Amino acid sequence: EPVFPDLETRLNAVGVATLRFSSRAHGASDGNPVNDYTISGQLKDLEAVVSFVQSKHYNWVGLVGASFGAGAAALYAGA
């Protein structure tokens, strides 16, 4: 996934703060990818991340995802 670190570097270079994370049961996160990697779990993870970012007083939050994460981001944004 070299695209996300590169995107993060480019955004940071123009003054855009970023936060990358791995959803439960994916990447560096704990959990069983067969049982724990669900849409509902991803939506809960996104809610936690957005709440964290908002608690830091950022007034705008954008979401970027790939594959399953992109679908979850679209569902979350449309909720």
Side-chain angles (χ1 to χ4, degrees), residues 26-61:
H26 192 264
S29 295
D30 292 334
N32 179 324
V34 174
N35 297 322
D36 300 329
Y37 196 58
T38 63
I39 288 286
S40 62
Q42 284 225 337
L43 293 174
K44 288 176 186 175
D45 291 345
L46 282 170
E47 178 62 37
V49 169
V50 169
S51 291
F52 171 78
V53 170
Q54 289 173 333
S55 78
K56 301 299 179 189
H57 307 291
Y58 288 95
N59 58 7
W60 186 87
V61 177

